[in-house]
């Protein structure tokens, strides 16, 4: 009987420690939102150690790894987390961005396309994913594709001068100079001193 009581007591203490001693995912999210990414990583690692299938902790971990520049680790952890849940769009987007940061553009594009096909336009990373896709298309010299992707990106975040400038550049490479000037003007309406937009507009105006 004493042995049984001790065993039950041990089980109770272990469960209690799991619930109260290990930081919860909500704490990790609070740290992430406070931009304390290194601390968020520690909390997520502790949570995952107790519950390896905790997708929320895996997701916050990947986001935090990306924002601390640990792209290889983010790629690896996102791939592992997708073995638990392959359809979670947050993990798909995190893996796409990790591959993009690592220069794996073809793979990144595949995952960005998977993400935007399932995400809603109101989702936080929707516009950013289209921006990254536009940048990949520019690197591939697929400027019409870049135009489409970047047009979608600026629709979600019209106050981003950089995105408007890159859209202007994509249109410029398509020799759509009038529409390129429109994009550069949008960038300059957000930031009148944005040098790349000023130079791009000047280049295009010589063709009009």
């Amino acid at each position: 009987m004493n042995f049984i009581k001790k065993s039950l007591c041990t089980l109770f203490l272990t469960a209690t420690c799991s619930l109260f001693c290990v930081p919860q995912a909500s704490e990790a999210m609070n740290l992430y939102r406070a931009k304390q990414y290194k601390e968020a990583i520690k909390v997520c690692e502790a949570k995952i150690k107790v519950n390896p299938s905790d997708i929320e902790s895996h997701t916050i971990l990947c986001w935090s790894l990306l924002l601390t520049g640990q792209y290889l680790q983010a790629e690896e952890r996102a791939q592992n987390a997708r073995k638990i849940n392959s359809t979670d769009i947050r993990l798909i987007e995190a893996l796409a961005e990790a591959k993009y940061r690592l220069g794996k553009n073809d793979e990144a594009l595949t995952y960005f396309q998977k993400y935007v096909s399932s995400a809603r336009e109101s989702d936080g990373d929707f516009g950013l994913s289209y921006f990254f896709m536009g940048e990949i298309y520019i690197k591939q010299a697929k400027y019409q594709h870049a135009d489409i992707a970047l047009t979608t990106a600026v629709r979600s975040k019209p106050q981003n001068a950089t995105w408007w400038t890159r859209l202007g550049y994509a249109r410029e490479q398509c020799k759509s100079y009038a529409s390129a000037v429109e994009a550069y003007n949008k960038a300059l309406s957000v930031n009148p001193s944005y040098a790349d937009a000023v130079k791009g507009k000047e280049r295009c105006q010589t063709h009009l």
Side-chain angles (χ1 to χ4, degrees):
M1 283 295 292
N2 286 337
F3 174 77
I4 294 173
K5 286 181 180 179
K6 286 181 180 179
S7 297
L8 289 173
C9 184
T10 301
L11 287 170
F12 175 77
L13 289 172
T14 302
T16 303
C17 187
S18 297
L19 289 171
F20 299 108
C21 298
V22 178
Q24 301 298 300
S26 58
E27 181 184 350
M29 179 58 80
N30 288 336
L31 289 166
Y32 175 82
R33 288 171 177 165
K35 299 183 179 181
Q36 297 180 36
Y37 305 123
K38 291 182 180 179
E39 290 303 314
I41 289 169
K42 291 178 183 177
V43 169
C44 290
E45 293 283 21
K47 185 70 174 170
I48 291 167
K49 191 172 183 179
V50 173
N51 181 8
S53 63
D54 183 351
I55 286 296
E56 294 303 312
S57 292
H58 281 290
T59 301
I60 298 168
L61 173 63
C62 291
W63 291 344
S64 300
L65 288 169
L66 286 169
L67 286 167
T68 53
Q70 300 179 70
Y71 305 129
L72 196 59
Q73 294 91 327
E75 178 189 36
E76 181 182 349
R77 299 306 289 266
Q79 287 172 331
N80 289 337
R82 291 193 70 238
K83 294 175 184 176
I84 303 167
N85 185 339
S86 63
T87 61
D88 191 305
I89 61 171
R90 301 168 302 173
L91 293 172
I92 293 171
E93 192 281 331
L95 181 56
E97 184 173 346
K99 288 184 178 294
Y100 173 81
R101 300 293 188 185
L102 292 167
K104 301 177 180 180
N105 291 322
D106 290 340
E107 294 177 58
L109 187 59
T110 297
Y111 284 106
F112 280 129
Q113 289 169 338
K114 284 183 180 180
Y115 172 73
V116 299
S117 68
S118 301
R120 297 168 299 179
E121 196 160 345
S122 59
D123 289 339
D125 291 322
F126 187 84
L128 183 61
S129 293
Y130 269 105
F131 171 73
F132 286 141
M133 289 169 66
E135 287 293 288
I136 292 170
Y137 286 131
I138 286 174
K139 291 174 183 176
Q140 296 175 340
K142 296 179 179 178
Y143 299 115
Q144 289 183 333
H145 287 71
D147 184 345
I148 294 168
L150 292 166
T151 296
T152 305
V154 296
R155 188 170 66 230
S156 73
K157 191 176 288 188
Q159 295 304 308
N160 193 310
T162 298
W163 293 11
W164 279 112
T165 300
R166 297 304 283 164
L167 174 58
Y169 179 78
R171 291 176 174 178
E172 184 181 348
Q173 299 308 304
C174 292
K175 302 187 187 305
S176 301
Y177 298 115
S179 60
V181 168
E182 285 182 25
Y184 287 132
N185 279 335
K186 287 284 190 180
L188 292 170
S189 70
V190 177
N191 183 353
S193 61
Y194 199 88
D196 287 347
V198 172
K199 293 175 183 177
K201 181 179 177 180
E202 289 174 351
R203 287 193 305 269
C204 289
Q205 285 178 325
T206 64
H207 296 281
L208 296 176

